[in-house]
């Protein structure tokens, strides 16, 4: 069991300081979640009946993949044992709102087609950042409904409580912002180049016949280098 026992007998989840729910309630909620077909397979590999989970992404993992998650650090993924650890309601909410199916659809849509290799690359991607941020918002919104949330716990920036749609909207806005920034940079770069060239003395030459009192020779304005004889 991972957690800390408080003076009142409540168990707090490791690293968060939030009271864990009774074990019977945890087990009852997980029985429902495990019955969802997508949750019966490890999110990162083909192993069946996963008994670990990442509360950061709301996905179920096998023992081997949970070790890979631990090696990435809690700043990227926070791992719990479904059977051995005690859980807070927020953590179980993350599994209920998230789930393997939601995460798989989202990651696949945003460029992750190989779920069984390059695990760290997947969880450090822009898609992963958007997904875990939106999941955290929705978890806090659920806590607020129970009177546990904070003033910063809005359902989401769009007011929608659909994880996939909200995270997808974040990714779309991010891509639009990046495209706009590239266009602005190109425009600014072009303007700078034009401004720089405007301040450079451009060599020029005139035929002698075009200048008053001159005949039969090429004349260059003052400050222009003289042509080199052949």
């Amino acid at each position: 069991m991972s957690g800390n026992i408080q003076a009142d007998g409540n168990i707090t989840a490791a690293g968060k300081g939030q009271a864990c729910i009774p074990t019977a309630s945890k087990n009852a909620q997980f029985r429902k979640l495990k019955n969802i077909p997508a949750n019966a397979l490890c999110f990162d590999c083909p192993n069946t009946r996963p008994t670990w989970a990442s509360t950061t992404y709301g996905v179920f993992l096998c023992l081997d993949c949970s070790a890979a998650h631990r090696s990435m650090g809690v700043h990227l993924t926070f791992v719990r044992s479904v059977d051995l650890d005690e859980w807070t309601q927020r953590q179980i909410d993350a599994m209920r709102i998230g789930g393997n199916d939601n995460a798989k659809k989202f990651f696949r849509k945003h460029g992750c087609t190989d779920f069984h290799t390059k695990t760290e690359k997947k969880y450090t991607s822009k898609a992963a950042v958007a997904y875990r941020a939106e999941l955290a918002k929705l978890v806090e919104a659920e806590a607020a409904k129970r009177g546990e949330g904070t003033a910063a716990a809005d359902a989401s920036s769009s007011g929608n409580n659909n994880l996939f749609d909200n995270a997808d909207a974040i990714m779309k806005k991010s891509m639009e912002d990046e495209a706009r920034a590239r266009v602005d940079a190109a425009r600014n770069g072009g303007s700078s180049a034009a401004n720089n060239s405007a301040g450079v003395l451009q060599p020029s030459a005139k035929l002698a016949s075009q200048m008053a009192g001159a005949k039969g020779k090429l004349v260059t304005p003052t400050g222009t280098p003289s042509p080199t004889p052949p």
Side-chain angles (χ1 to χ4, degrees):
M1 178 174 65
S2 176
N4 302 305
I5 300 178
Q6 298 177 323
D8 59 5
N10 286 328
I11 301 173
T12 61
K16 295 295 183 180
Q18 298 165 1
C20 295
I21 62 174
T23 301
S25 176
K26 179 202 79 169
N27 291 339
Q29 293 185 69
F30 269 118
R31 275 195 294 272
K32 294 180 181 178
L33 293 174
K34 288 178 179 179
N35 284 334
I36 299 172
N39 293 341
L41 293 174
C42 175
F43 183 67
D44 287 341
C45 80
N47 284 340
T48 59
R49 302 177 67 183
T51 56
W52 290 76
S54 168
T55 63
T56 310
Y57 300 95
V59 295
F60 287 85
L61 305 165
C62 69
L63 177 61
D64 290 340
C65 290
S66 73
H69 276 246
R70 277 200 207 88
S71 69
M72 288 187 278
V74 296
H75 63 293
L76 286 182
T77 174
F78 188 66
V79 179
R80 310 288 287 162
S81 168
V82 172
D83 299 322
L84 303 178
D85 289 330
E86 298 303 320
W87 287 60
T88 68
Q89 187 57 52
R90 275 181 172 86
Q91 291 169 340
I92 295 180
D93 285 344
M95 304 304 299
R96 177 177 55 80
I97 297 169
N100 287 17
D101 190 49
N102 259 339
K104 185 161 289 188
K105 288 177 180 176
F106 181 80
F107 277 93
R108 182 176 288 125
K109 180 174 181 179
H110 293 285
C112 180
T113 55
D114 187 355
F115 286 88
H116 302 156
T117 59
K118 300 178 181 178
T119 302
E120 188 165 354
K121 182 178 180 181
K122 177 169 62 181
Y123 291 108
T124 55
S125 66
K126 292 179 181 179
V129 173
Y131 192 82
R132 65 177 179 251
E134 188 58 34
L135 178 57
K137 285 182 184 180
L138 294 176
V139 167
E140 286 305 311
E142 287 297 305
K145 293 177 184 178
R146 298 190 299 270
E148 301 173 7
T150 63
D154 296 326
S156 74
S157 56
S158 67
N160 188 356
N161 62 356
N162 184 289
L163 172 61
F164 182 92
D165 290 345
N166 292 347
D168 195 47
I170 291 174
M171 283 295 293
K172 183 178 179 181
K173 184 178 184 303
S174 175
M175 289 187 288
E176 289 174 349
D177 290 344
E178 288 179 4
R180 191 177 298 111
R182 286 195 295 269
V183 170
D184 291 343
R187 287 174 178 169
N188 292 337
S191 298
S192 298
N195 291 336
N196 291 338
S197 63
V200 176
L201 180 63
Q202 299 296 323
S204 61
K206 290 184 179 181
L207 292 174
S209 60
Q210 294 174 327
M211 302 182 68
K215 278 188 178 182
K217 62 179 181 179
L218 183 69
V219 178
T220 58
T222 303
T224 303
S226 301
T228 303

